[in-house]
Amino acid sequence: MRILSGIQPTGELHIGNYLGATKNWAELQAKHDCFFMIADLHALTTPQNPKEFSKTTLSKFIELLAVGLNPEKCIIFIQSHIKEHAELAWIFSTLTSLSELERMTQFKDKAKKQHTNINAGLLTYPTLMAADILLYKTQGVPVGKDQTQHLELTRTIAKKFNSTYGKVFWEPETLLVKEGAKIMSLAQPLKKMSKSDTEESSIGVFEEAQSIQKKIQRAVTDAGKEIKYDPTKKPGISNLLTIYSLFSDESLSQAEKRFKGKEYSVFKKALADLLVKKLEPLRKKKEKLESRELYVQEILHQGRERAQSIAAATMEEVREKIGLLKA
Ligand code: TYM
């Protein structure tokens, strides 16, 4: 299966991104034809500091390598390096109605959050995302739950293009992980863990041990004493149990059994220890990669070349189907 997914470069990679997406990407690359990209153009919908932005993008690229993406098994690239993304997004914007875009919950949320900067890019974001995906004739897209609406629209756009101009694109499936597709905030367990939220609401994949311990200790729990998976009545504990289960590879019921009759504080200590143990090797790997500049540049270059040839071939087909005059 041809698979593609992406992540924005800004904000720290947190355990929500990891459990909902990137950990799964590292597993998928062994069996499928995988493409993973840093969505730097998407990040411009929120103002970025030009002096920092390229460093942020490179750093996210390194982080993806550190969490297990292997350039021998998948193609990793930077969205803005392949100009066809923006070109195809324009064509898709002519096939997408305003009402379809205005309906997107991410647009509504972001428009509320940055109400003094509701730029057109915030609205047309999903047409660029559809271009990212369809350009590579992708069949499966592994993402967290918050991206499912964008993927529905991607399928609608593929259908619309194919019926208007003739078949070029697949209608890709959404690949959600069974558990972890929506990791919640540690401070407000009814909200998803998010890069743009407060410090104490999320744990970074590359965070220091002390800080992880502190954040888990402070994580909001629920009334009562029982350590039980019940997202409606016990959203805080259920979120922590989900995180425990995914990092320990124990099922939720095994994890519940392990902590039956124990105090919240005992569970939290065990969870913090587990996170420190599992995340430490990733942090070390990131540090090592940061000192291997030439190697990283080589992978960047290789990813770009491989993605470029596929993107160019699809765009050629698109131009021909639409009837754009050949250059
Ligand atoms: P982004 O950068 O917000 O997030 C990257 C991935 O992490 C998932 N995720 C979560 N999963 C579980 N629990 C959470 N709390 C959580 N928070 C984030 C996201 O669902 C995502 O899979 N628009 C995309 C980037 C993108 C893209 C693409 C994705 C651009 N083009 C093409 C797929 C295909 C985004 O902003 O993801």
Side-chain angles (χ1 to χ4, degrees):
M1 199 200 270
R2 167 75 53 90
I3 281 177
L4 179 138
S5 199
I7 185 162
Q8 294 198 47
T10 46
E12 205 180 345
L13 189 76
H14 56 64
I15 57 171
N17 301 128
Y18 180 66
L19 298 174
T22 59
K23 181 167 173 267
N24 188 27
W25 300 355
E27 283 155 21
L28 288 166
Q29 67 182 346
K31 292 190 225 114
H32 300 281
D33 176 20
C34 289
F35 289 68
F36 299 111
M37 52 157 239
I38 311 285
D40 55 346
L41 294 176
H42 276 106
L44 294 177
T45 52
T46 303
Q48 302 298 335
N49 177 351
K51 290 210 178 92
E52 294 297 322
F53 195 43
S54 61
K55 281 187 223 144
T56 309
T57 303
L58 184 64
S59 173
K60 192 60 85 232
F61 187 80
I62 290 176
E63 289 177 10
L64 291 189
L65 298 174
V67 297
L69 295 193
N70 177 347
E72 282 168 22
K73 294 193 182 144
C74 67
I75 296 177
I76 321 170
F77 66 98
I78 312 292
Q79 180 186 34
S80 67
H81 287 181
I82 313 292
K83 299 199 171 45
E84 284 81 354
H85 289 244
E87 188 180 356
L88 188 57
W90 170 257
I91 289 165
F92 286 165
S93 75
T94 67
L95 294 169
T96 312
S97 70
L98 259 186
S99 63
E100 278 170 315
L101 295 170
E102 281 165 349
R103 217 181 295 139
M104 296 289 113
T105 45
Q106 186 175 298
F107 168 67
K108 290 192 248 178
D109 287 350
K110 289 228 171 139
K112 232 186 260 164
K113 235 183 211 169
Q114 52 183 75
H115 60 276
T116 53
N117 178 19
I118 308 178
N119 58 76
L122 269 189
L123 182 69
T124 56
Y125 185 110
T127 58
L128 179 57
M129 192 162 149
D132 301 336
I133 296 166
L134 300 178
L135 196 49
Y136 299 90
K137 304 207 175 175
T138 301
Q139 294 153 284
V141 188
V143 283
K145 242 185 212 149
D146 61 341
Q147 297 298 319
T148 51
Q149 201 186 24
H150 288 159
L151 286 205
E152 269 162 40
L153 185 57
T154 299
R155 285 189 286 274
T156 305
I157 292 174
K159 234 181 263 164
K160 187 95 181 272
F161 184 97
N162 290 343
S163 65
T164 310
Y165 296 115
K167 175 150 188 340
V168 173
F169 301 113
W170 285 82
E171 289 169 36
E173 333 168 20
T174 307
L175 307 174
L176 284 182
V177 285
K178 277 199 210 89
E179 298 290 342
K182 192 170 184 188
I183 297 294
M184 310 309 273
S185 153
L186 298 185
Q188 291 167 279
L190 294 175
K191 272 174 62 182
K192 73 162 183 173
M193 185 176 284
S194 161
K195 294 176 201 181
S196 53
D197 221 331
T198 53
E199 257 287 294
E200 67 278 9
S201 67
S202 66
I203 288 184
V205 171
F206 306 101
E207 204 158 322
E208 300 279 347
Q210 251 187 344
S211 161
I212 295 178
Q213 275 148 352
K214 215 189 264 167
K215 283 188 186 174
I216 293 289
Q217 256 170 33
R218 287 188 189 157
V220 168
T221 45
D222 319 287
K225 281 186 171 167
E226 239 185 325
I227 297 174
K228 197 168 159 246
Y229 184 77
D230 182 344
T232 324
K233 291 199 190 120
K234 298 189 132 251
I237 284 292
S238 301
N239 188 41
L240 297 182
L241 265 173
T242 302
I243 297 170
Y244 185 91
S245 144
L246 292 167
F247 274 102
S248 64
D249 288 325
E250 274 181 22
S251 68
L252 279 168
S253 60
Q254 276 171 322
E256 271 178 344
K257 246 187 235 151
R258 177 183 292 279
F259 296 105
K260 197 165 189 259
K262 302 252 164 65
E263 307 241 332
Y264 282 173
S265 60
V266 174
F267 169 51
K268 281 182 158 184
K269 163 95 176 51
L271 175 59
D273 289 347
L274 175 68
L275 284 172
V276 168
K277 184 171 137 220
K278 294 285 176 159
L279 296 177
E280 177 78 1
L282 306 187
R283 198 159 54 82
K284 291 221 166 99
K285 196 160 171 207
K286 183 182 171 202
E287 275 167 20
K288 213 174 186 181
L289 283 160
E290 276 166 343
S291 65
R292 298 185 65 195
E293 212 175 304
L294 275 181
Y295 169 72
V296 172
Q297 285 301 331
E298 176 54 34
I299 301 171
L300 257 177
H301 177 74
Q302 188 187 315
R304 176 187 176 172
E305 297 233 303
R306 291 162 75 191
Q308 177 65 68
S309 67
I310 297 170
T314 307
M315 237 8 253
E316 195 56 42
E317 237 182 293
V318 167
R319 286 194 202 103
E320 200 182 315
K321 290 274 194 223
I322 294 182
L324 294 173
L325 182 64
K326 267 199 162 180

